[in-house]
Amino acid sequence: MNFLAIFKLTIPVMMGYIPLGMAFGLLLSKLLIPWYYAFFMSAFIFAGSGQFLVLTLFASQATILEIGIATFLLNLRHTFYGLSMISTFKNFSWKKHYLIFGLTDETFALLKTTEVPEANREKVYLLITFLNQCYWIVGSVVGAMLGNILPFNYEGIEFSLTALFVVLSIELYKKNRLHKPFFVALIIGLFGMVLFPPQKMLILSLCAAAFVLIVFKRSMENGK
């Protein structure tokens, strides 16, 4: 596969990452954070929903511990689909460390659905991952710079995080044959809004949902 063929594979990701990255950059500039933070966060964190979450927690003056726990729980799903790539990556060179770092939801979907000869697999996977990250970096930096240069109405832009979570939840619900975990997490979240303090609601709800889903995982899988 040549570069053009690989680029064509990543076009759907580009169409999503650049606008969403711009939304992240605009939100960052709204919080009066310098534009270059968008570049460094996208280059060294590269976790779309995680970066939105960090900005939201920054705005609510959350502690470093709260940010760390919330980000860990939010990105815990990477562990499960990352495990399925162990056999694929194990014979790769040092580049596998970057592939592990850049394994987002969309990149994982591309890697699993793209038929690549084994001899070229490392090169193709590396280019797919690198291009996807470039799209996100470009979108976030452009958004942050435009937010500082041009007058922009930021009203409602913080809803981009909520919209992202809704889309991810709907897609997960449609693809997963087990719907009980979805409703359990939803109910815990609703109770958390009522029972927990607003500043701690997200952390406590995520911890409660993770505990319940882990403890009752087997009974949910058996449909009991």
Side-chain angles (χ1 to χ4, degrees):
M1 298 179 70
N2 57 31
F3 178 81
L4 183 59
I6 297 172
F7 170 72
K8 289 180 178 179
L9 287 173
T10 63
I11 287 177
V13 176
M14 178 182 70
M15 300 300 290
Y17 272 15
I18 290 181
L20 194 56
M22 290 180 67
F24 166 75
L26 289 169
L27 183 58
L28 181 138
S29 66
K30 179 189 176 182
L31 298 175
L32 303 179
I33 300 174
W35 67 268
Y36 50 83
Y37 276 75
F39 171 79
F40 288 116
M41 290 180 71
S42 298
F44 296 107
I45 300 177
F46 188 36
S49 56
Q51 289 178 223
F52 277 101
L53 177 63
V54 167
L55 290 185
T56 304
L57 294 174
F58 277 164
S60 63
Q61 298 182 338
T63 65
I64 295 296
L65 178 62
E66 290 174 324
I67 293 173
I69 294 174
T71 304
F72 172 76
L73 292 174
L74 176 65
N75 292 318
L76 189 61
R77 68 188 188 281
H78 292 196
T79 303
F80 301 105
Y81 62 64
L83 289 172
S84 67
M85 301 299 292
I86 290 178
S87 59
T88 304
F89 289 167
K90 69 177 182 180
N91 295 322
F92 288 179
S93 65
W94 58 269
K95 301 180 184 71
K96 65 185 175 184
H97 300 295
Y98 174 70
L99 293 173
I100 294 170
F101 162 76
L103 195 62
T104 62
D105 300 331
E106 295 76 17
T107 300
F108 172 76
L110 277 181
L111 298 188
K112 294 297 286 186
T113 57
T114 302
E115 295 291 335
V116 183
E118 189 171 352
N120 299 327
R121 192 168 293 169
E122 183 175 2
K123 175 186 175 182
V124 173
Y125 283 7
L126 181 66
L127 279 174
I128 289 175
T129 305
F130 178 72
L131 285 172
N132 287 348
Q133 185 175 16
C134 286
Y135 303 146
W136 181 257
I137 291 174
V138 168
S140 60
V141 171
V142 169
M145 294 183 71
L146 288 177
N148 288 324
I149 297 172
L150 301 177
F152 188 83
N153 182 8
Y154 294 99
E155 184 178 357
I157 194 172
E158 65 275 5
F159 187 73
S160 57
L161 176 63
T162 304
L164 176 64
F165 285 164
V166 170
V167 170
L168 290 174
S169 298
I170 292 173
E171 288 300 313
L172 183 62
Y173 179 84
K174 289 165 62 177
K175 293 178 181 178
N176 200 327
R177 62 182 180 84
L178 297 174
H179 294 159
K180 281 187 177 180
F182 175 85
F183 291 111
V184 168
L186 179 62
I187 292 170
I188 290 174
L190 292 174
F191 273 100
M193 293 176 65
V194 177
L195 300 176
F196 300 144
Q199 298 85 355
K200 310 291 183 183
M201 189 277 291
L202 179 62
I203 283 276
L204 295 177
S205 296
L206 284 171
C207 291
F211 175 79
V212 171
L213 292 174
I214 291 172
V215 171
F216 297 100
K217 177 177 180 289
R218 182 163 298 180
S219 62
M220 291 184 186
E221 289 178 344
N222 295 332
K224 297 180 181 179

